[in-house]
């Protein structure tokens, strides 16, 4: 087990490191040798396939340079680089926001307004239904932020502090973020190494 993340396992196999990342019933396996990966898949099937109660009970395997994993698309087609995107998930977030605020269309060039950290104690609190929508949209956006959209980190970090008693100003700040997300919905996170 990796000492920094209990959901990651590293093992030396055939002279190279094998890495397995687990999340509930999904996993991602990487190794230089496809034969080493085949060996681990065979072992996983033998040990765990019989306990799957949903679906056909057969472990699904995806190979290649592009993978779907936990709502992310991981694209390894460029050597030395991974492109992480969540285009469909961002589309779902925007659809949820558009349903909650049909007049919230438009785009912004920044993720946060200049008054992001200002809190007006006299501002009107959101009604319960709108507050629940606020909380849900912020939570969904946080999921995308932590995986593929670090550009929204400052705005979403502040908005997560406001989910208990959001007010009209908080909704306006969320609207600003959604307009930014709409304008950048096809922007991937690209990580590379030399």
């Amino acid at each position: 087990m990796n000492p920094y993340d209990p959901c990651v396992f590293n093992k030396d196999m055939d002279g190279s490191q094998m890495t397995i990342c687990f999340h509930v019933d999904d996993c991602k396996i990487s190794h230089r040798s496809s034969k080493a990966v085949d060996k681990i898949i065979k072992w996983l099937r033998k040990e765990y396939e019989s306990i799957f109660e949903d679906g056909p009970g057969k472990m699904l395997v995806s190979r290649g340079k592009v993978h779907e994993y936990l709502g992310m698309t991981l694209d390894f087609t460029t050597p030395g680089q991974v492109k992480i995107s969540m285009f469909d998930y961002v589309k779902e977030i925007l659809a949820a926001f558009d349903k909650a605020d049909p007049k919230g269309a438009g785009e912004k060039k920044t993720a946060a307004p200049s008054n992001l950290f200002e809190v007006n104690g006299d501002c009107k609190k959101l009604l319960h239904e709108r507050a629940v929508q606020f909380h849900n949209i912020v939570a969904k956006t946080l999921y995308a932020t932590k995986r593929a959209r670090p550009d929204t980190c400052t705005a979403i970090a502040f908005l997560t502090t406001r989910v208990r008693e959001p007010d009209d100003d908080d909704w306006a700040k969320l609207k600003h973020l959604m307009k930014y997300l709409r304008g950048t919905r096809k922007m991937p996170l690209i990580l590379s190494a030399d």
Side-chain angles (χ1 to χ4, degrees):
M1 179 171 25
N2 185 307
Y4 302 104
D5 188 337
C7 296
V8 176
F9 288 77
N10 299 311
K11 181 179 180 177
D12 187 47
M13 285 185 71
D14 302 331
S16 293
Q17 178 176 296
M18 170 163 294
T19 301
I20 305 176
C21 304
F22 290 97
H23 181 81
V24 187
D25 63 349
D26 291 320
C27 71
K28 180 184 177 304
I29 303 170
S30 62
H31 191 273
R32 287 181 159 224
S33 164
S34 61
K35 289 181 182 179
V37 173
D38 291 340
K39 194 173 174 180
I40 287 295
I41 290 171
K42 184 177 178 181
W43 180 81
L44 287 169
R45 281 188 165 141
K46 181 179 174 226
E47 291 294 317
Y48 297 106
E49 230 172 34
S50 64
I51 65 171
F52 296 140
E53 293 179 9
D54 59 337
K58 184 151 176 74
M59 184 171 67
L60 302 176
V61 176
S62 169
R63 294 183 186 260
K65 301 274 186 188
V66 180
H67 302 277
E68 297 294 325
Y69 184 67
L70 304 176
M72 297 175 285
T73 300
L74 305 171
D75 182 342
F76 296 92
T77 53
T78 303
Q81 166 180 304
V82 60
K83 188 184 303 183
I84 305 167
S85 61
M86 297 184 78
F87 301 151
D88 291 339
Y89 191 76
V90 168
K91 187 176 177 182
E92 288 176 28
I93 294 168
L94 292 171
F97 181 77
D98 290 344
K99 184 177 178 184
D101 191 344
K103 295 180 182 177
E107 296 181 2
K108 293 282 185 182
K109 293 196 182 293
T110 62
S114 60
N115 68 337
L116 177 68
F117 298 111
E118 294 174 16
V119 177
N120 177 355
D122 297 326
C123 192
K124 181 181 166 201
K125 300 295 181 198
L126 297 179
L127 296 176
H128 177 72
E129 182 180 345
R130 178 59 62 101
V132 168
Q133 292 169 329
F134 179 88
H135 192 155
N136 289 339
I137 294 166
V138 167
K140 287 179 180 198
T141 307
L142 176 62
Y143 184 82
T145 298
K146 297 299 270 179
R147 284 151 187 81
R149 294 302 304 259
D151 54 315
T152 63
C153 191
T154 302
I156 206 64
F158 175 78
L159 292 173
T160 59
T161 69
R162 305 294 300 158
V163 296
R164 284 195 171 187
E165 292 187 2
D167 58 31
D168 286 338
D169 285 349
D170 298 321
W171 188 265
K173 294 168 186 175
L174 178 63
K175 183 185 289 192
H176 185 109
L177 176 59
M178 292 298 105
K179 288 180 177 186
Y180 171 75
L181 211 53
R182 182 175 290 111
T184 60
R185 65 189 171 276
K186 293 291 185 180
M187 184 171 69
L189 171 63
I190 299 174
L191 304 174
S192 61
D194 294 331

